[in-house]
Every structure is written in structure tokens, then in C-alpha cells.
Amino acid sequence: MRAQLIPIDGSTPIDIVKDLTVVGRKDECDFCLHHKSVSKVHCVIVKTDGLLLLRDLGSTNGTRVNGQRVRRAALLPEDQLAIAGFRFRVHFGPDERALAPRDRTQKLSAQEVADLVHKSEKRGREPASERRSHTPLQPKVLPDIYPEDAEPAE
């Protein structure tokens, strides 16, 4: 999937090529917007299968999707994205690169599948102390939508 942010002002489109793109004013960011209204590390854009996920990183001037200030959002085709004072249109298109052999589904023989299942079962019998522990999920602290920007109930 090819994902682009097309500036509303008609300037050059920005290709989102990395799986995780950091947007901000710092030179170390993947996508730099050099303006004082943009936070040093403003937001991140995560590229997934057919979707872009956006997460505001507590920026001062906020991030808006279709006019709504958000902490996080899914970006769909033709959505309007505003990062501080910069406005973009989200565009998806076909990927221009050809698939490399490693990008294709790997074929496994029946024996290879049996070996993988056996290794998995064997690992399940290990003492709990030898298995990898997983970090527990942390509760969400920040709201997805700011209360002052929520639409009034009718």
C-alpha cells in the first residue's frame, strides 16, 4: 500500500514509507515541519495493512482529523489531517514496488509444519519461570477526543 499526505496548499506530497513515522519540528523526526506551532515531537503515524494510525504525543497545538481534535485516530482515504497549522489530505494508492521473493507467503512442507508444532508443544511444557513473561497492558490515560471539542448532543 502506498500512503501519502498531500498538502492542501498544493506543495509536494509526502510519502509515508516507514512503518512508524515520527512527525515534529526536531531534525531527528522522520517528517519535519519547521514551524514554531509544531511541537518538537508532535505525533506518530503507524502504517498498517490498508490503514494509517495516528497518535498525538501531547502536542501543544494539537492534531485534527476532519476538523476534530484527537489524541489518536485511524486515517482513511480522503481524510483531512491538520498538524498544528499544516493541513493535508490522506491518499492511498497501489504500491509501486514489485514484491520481493521474501514478501510472498512461504511454502512449508508437512514435515516442517509438524516440526514447528512439536517445538511449540515442547516449549509449552517448560517451567513457567523459563518462559518469556509479557508486559501487562497499561490503561489508557488520555482521552481519544477532547471533551471541549466534542459535538453537543441534540
Side-chain angles (χ1 to χ4, degrees):
M1 165 189 79
R2 181 179 185 191
Q4 289 182 310
L5 298 180
I6 301 174
I8 300 297
D9 66 6
S11 56
T12 307
I14 295 99
D15 285 319
I16 305 296
V17 293
K18 295 174 74 177
D19 289 338
L20 180 100
T21 302
V22 180
V23 180
R25 193 174 71 228
K26 288 178 83 172
D27 289 333
E28 293 82 18
C29 292
D30 301 309
F31 174 31
C32 293
L33 294 169
H34 296 287
H35 192 271
K36 62 184 177 183
S37 66
V38 178
S39 294
K40 290 177 185 174
V41 181
H42 198 96
C43 63
V44 293
I45 299 172
V46 178
K47 186 176 176 181
T48 63
D49 296 326
L51 189 68
L52 291 179
L53 301 174
L54 173 115
R55 177 75 177 187
D56 185 271
L57 298 174
S59 63
T60 302
N61 292 312
T63 306
R64 294 180 181 270
V65 176
N66 297 325
Q68 179 72 47
R69 187 170 178 175
V70 296
R71 293 266 184 208
R72 64 181 179 177
L75 299 175
L76 301 172
E78 304 305 316
D79 276 351
Q80 299 287 320
L81 171 64
I83 299 171
F86 294 88
R87 294 180 52 219
F88 304 92
R89 181 175 57 85
V90 178
H91 175 75
F92 293 130
D95 202 351
E96 292 182 346
R97 70 176 180 88
L99 287 176
R102 68 181 182 283
D103 292 339
R104 299 186 191 279
T105 302
Q106 182 181 356
K107 293 182 181 179
L108 296 175
S109 69
Q111 184 59 49
E112 289 171 316
V113 172
D115 290 343
L116 289 171
V117 169
H118 178 70
K119 285 180 186 177
S120 175
E121 289 172 349
K122 183 178 174 184
R123 187 176 38 197
R125 289 189 295 262
E126 294 173 349
S129 62
E130 293 181 19
R131 286 187 228 143
R132 282 190 258 166
S133 63
H134 297 284
T135 306
L137 294 177
Q138 299 295 319
K140 177 177 68 170
V141 178
L142 302 172
D144 291 341
I145 298 175
Y146 290 82
E148 65 271 12
D149 289 342
E151 295 181 17
E154 295 182 19

